[in-house]
Amino acid sequence: MTTSSLPTVIELLARSLDIDPASITGQTELESLGADSLTVIEVIFDLEEQFGIQVGDERPDLKIVQDLADQIDRRIAAGAVAP
Amino acid sequence: MSNQRVVITGIGAISALGAGAGHNFEQALRGRSGIGMLELAGGRQRAGLPAAQIRYPLPELIKASEQALFDRNALLGWSAASEALQQSGIVPGDDLSADSGVFWGTGMGGATTVEAGYVDLFVEGKSRVRPMSVVAGMNNAAAAQIALRCQFKGTVNNYSSACVSSAQAIGEAYRHIHHGYAERVLAGGSEALLSYGVVSAWDALRVLAPANADDAARSCRPFSAGRSGLVLGEGAAAVMLESLESAHRRGATILAELVGYGASNDATHITKPDVEGQQRAMTMALRQARLDPSAIGYINAHGAGTAAGDLVETQSIRGVFGAAADKVMVSSTKSVHGHTLGAAGALEFVLTVQALTSGSIPPTAFLDQADPECDLDYVPLEARHGRVLQAAMSNSFAFGGSNVSLIVQRY
């Protein structure tokens, strides 16, 4: 895992919620941004498209923005070792 | 069972004529057409067709994070519904929220969302669709979003009966309040189906008017000798219906009283209109309103601009109104806002309410060639002002044989 998806996660969240990306860090709680479960599903869909991955049916406990980035990073890493 | 009187305390509309009930009415009075050449989003066009398309940016009423949840149908619906709510002065979440409902009509609901999903799957070759496809595309999406935003926690019903959908929603809402099931219902409908797939389906049915060669704006000519079919439109309209008691308690401004609703089915043919079926709806509405036909000063006709439909409606009105048919003013505002399908009944009802309250009658635009067989007073070309009306009727007829007639009376 050489690069983190965190900047992209922040960018997509900011666009989806129409807020300043500078107001979001990895430690920001998703709930405090007004991102409900449906918003997170949308953002994950867009991240999948962006990175060419499939998160699939995983439903990890996503509390902060970094949790979301970590999930995406794990998928990117898994995809990188795939044949 | 109670027999509450039902009044209108708010109206809202959005169509190709513009945003806002008042603005729509002014444009209709001027005979300003919202019809132009259809321009579909995306690469595919159905060439040569006119449409009453909303080309201006929609009012920004929802948050960016909510966009994915909203089909254009629900966006239009909330635009009209929020206007009606605001005018009524009802505050979301007040102590009557449990006695407040939403009755909404739409022909095809979130059809464009469904179609976009099919494009992703079958054209783009993707293996999946957008995650909000279900909640944006479902036919009750608009009603649900309206209820959510108004905090109306009573009955929320959806009506899908093609081109009478929203007229039926208003009529059933009237009965709902009349019989004491709710104090208030935000009723109306919305339609947004100007997509390649849906327009192609309408085109295949051979009921669409071709574009007028000189001016596309003049393509829909109800009751005219040269009429050549209907012009598809998009839009939404809503009325805040309320028991008279509720309106009085709040000190609300009462615009008019809804006094009659008639509904029938032809049960004769899936598309061909039927004189007797239409007459049953008008007669039922008059009986409910306890009005003689002569009390009706204006009829906003269904008048879609098809050869058969306009003639049958003319005959139906003659049959029901008898001698009064020669005195009643009849116009089809579809000549300017097109056929907004599931939203049509509500949009035309909102115009009818304004005609009643203002005394100004919107014309049938572009009716410069009379059809000898269509022999009522269709208020051709020019609006009429200063008319004192006791009551007015709005007719809506649909494929599937459904007929709805609504009567509104001065309060």
Side-chain angles (χ1 to χ4, degrees):
Chain A
M1 197 184 305
T2 52
T3 55
S4 166
S5 64
L6 185 62
T8 311
V9 170
I10 289 174
E11 184 195 321
L12 288 179
L13 270 173
R15 196 189 309 158
S16 168
L17 298 167
D18 199 20
I19 52 179
D20 181 4
S23 68
I24 308 174
T25 72
Q27 297 310 305
T28 308
E29 287 191 5
L30 288 164
E31 209 177 293
S32 74
L33 291 172
D36 65 9
S37 59
L38 295 183
T39 312
V40 171
I41 290 171
E42 272 286 311
V43 170
I44 289 175
F45 185 90
D46 289 335
L47 287 164
E48 288 173 330
E49 299 272 285
Q50 180 108 7
F51 292 110
I53 54 168
Q54 292 264 358
V55 170
D57 291 332
E58 294 170 38
R59 292 286 184 275
D61 196 16
L62 303 172
K63 279 203 168 60
I64 59 173
V65 174
Q66 187 66 52
D67 293 339
L68 189 51
D70 287 347
Q71 189 193 18
I72 300 300
D73 289 344
R74 276 195 301 276
R75 269 290 134 198
I76 294 172
V81 297
Chain B
M1 186 158 283
S2 74
N3 278 299
Q4 296 287 329
R5 290 172 69 181
V6 180
V7 294
I8 300 160
T9 54
I11 54 176
I14 183 166
S15 77
L17 296 178
H23 184 65
N24 271 267
F25 186 59
E26 285 164 24
Q27 296 297 97
L29 284 179
R30 292 193 184 110
R32 293 274 170 80
S33 171
I35 295 168
M37 294 307 293
L38 175 66
E39 289 172 30
L40 295 170
R44 292 166 200 269
Q45 296 296 327
R46 181 120 322 253
L49 284 180
Q53 197 167 13
I54 296 174
R55 296 167 194 275
Y56 52 88
L58 300 186
E60 288 182 23
L61 298 171
I62 62 164
K63 292 185 280 189
S65 60
E66 297 168 327
Q67 289 285 352
L69 298 166
F70 276 74
D71 183 272
R72 185 172 174 84
N73 181 54
L75 283 176
L76 293 174
W78 177 232
S79 175
S82 58
E83 184 191 356
L85 178 77
Q86 193 170 23
Q87 186 181 18
S88 76
I90 290 169
V91 179
D94 69 9
D95 56 4
L96 270 183
S97 59
D99 287 317
S100 306
V102 178
F103 281 32
W104 207 250
T106 183
M108 296 183 77
T112 53
T113 293
V114 175
E115 187 169 318
Y118 289 161
V119 169
D120 282 348
L121 292 176
F122 302 132
V123 181
E124 303 293 333
K126 293 180 181 174
S127 60
R128 58 191 190 153
V129 298
R130 300 284 321 176
M132 294 308 121
S133 295
V134 170
V135 289
M138 61 192 188
N139 270 8
N140 62 331
Q145 292 292 353
I146 292 165
L148 188 62
R149 279 160 173 74
C150 295
Q151 284 295 289
F152 281 6
K153 300 176 181 180
T155 306
V156 175
N157 283 350
N158 289 273
Y159 296 87
S160 189
S161 306
C163 306
V164 304
S165 300
S166 56
Q168 200 172 44
I170 292 170
E172 295 295 329
Y174 159 76
R175 285 184 183 165
H176 196 68
I177 297 169
H178 185 65
H179 294 317
Y181 295 113
E183 292 282 355
R184 324 180 284 210
V185 178
L186 187 42
S190 47
E191 201 76 85
L193 38 59
L194 297 178
S195 68
Y196 184 67
V198 178
V199 172
S200 297
W202 278 94
D203 195 25
L205 197 56
R206 299 187 170 275
V207 292
L208 300 184
N212 181 288
D214 300 324
D215 182 3
R218 302 170 59 87
S219 299
C220 182
R221 285 169 296 143
F223 304 112
S224 159
R227 64 186 182 274
S228 53
L230 62 89
V231 171
L232 293 175
E234 57 180 345
V239 285
M240 178 58 73
L241 300 179
E242 197 166 354
S243 71
L244 181 60
E245 284 178 20
S246 165
H248 275 162
R249 271 200 306 274
R250 298 195 303 114
T253 302
I254 294 168
L255 304 175
E257 181 173 2
L258 180 48
V259 291
Y261 163 51
S264 70
N265 194 279
D266 298 337
T268 51
H269 191 273
I270 196 73
T271 56
K272 195 176 157 207
D274 176 58
V275 171
E276 289 178 20
Q278 295 180 5
Q279 288 181 342
R280 282 196 296 278
M282 282 187 263
T283 303
M284 188 190 294
L286 285 163
R287 194 168 59 230
Q288 167 102 58
R290 296 197 177 96
L291 288 174
D292 184 81
S294 61
I296 307 292
Y298 169 61
I299 301 173
N300 186 297
H302 179 68
T306 63
D310 295 358
L311 178 59
V312 167
E313 186 170 11
T314 298
Q315 293 164 346
S316 304
I317 292 169
R318 281 226 167 269
V320 170
F321 280 68
D326 286 321
K327 292 190 180 129
V328 66
M329 293 177 280
V330 180
S331 73
S332 171
T333 48
K334 284 189 178 75
S335 50
V336 290
H337 56 61
H339 194 345
T340 58
L341 307 166
L347 177 60
E348 291 157 31
F349 182 71
V350 163
L351 296 175
T352 304
V353 169
Q354 292 179 93
L356 177 79
T357 56
S358 70
S360 290
I361 310 299
T364 303
F366 316 121
L367 178 46
D368 45 18
Q369 289 176 284
D371 175 351
E373 287 195 282
C374 293
D375 56 357
L376 297 169
D377 174 6
Y378 303 107
V379 195
L381 305 174
E382 300 287 334
R384 297 194 196 143
H385 301 281
R387 306 296 166 123
V388 179
L389 307 178
Q390 180 190 342
M393 175 183 273
S394 180
N395 281 340
S396 300
F397 310 131
F399 285 166
S402 293
N403 308 298
V404 170
S405 194
L406 295 165
I407 298 176
V408 66
Q409 183 169 261
R410 284 180 81 87
Y411 180 79

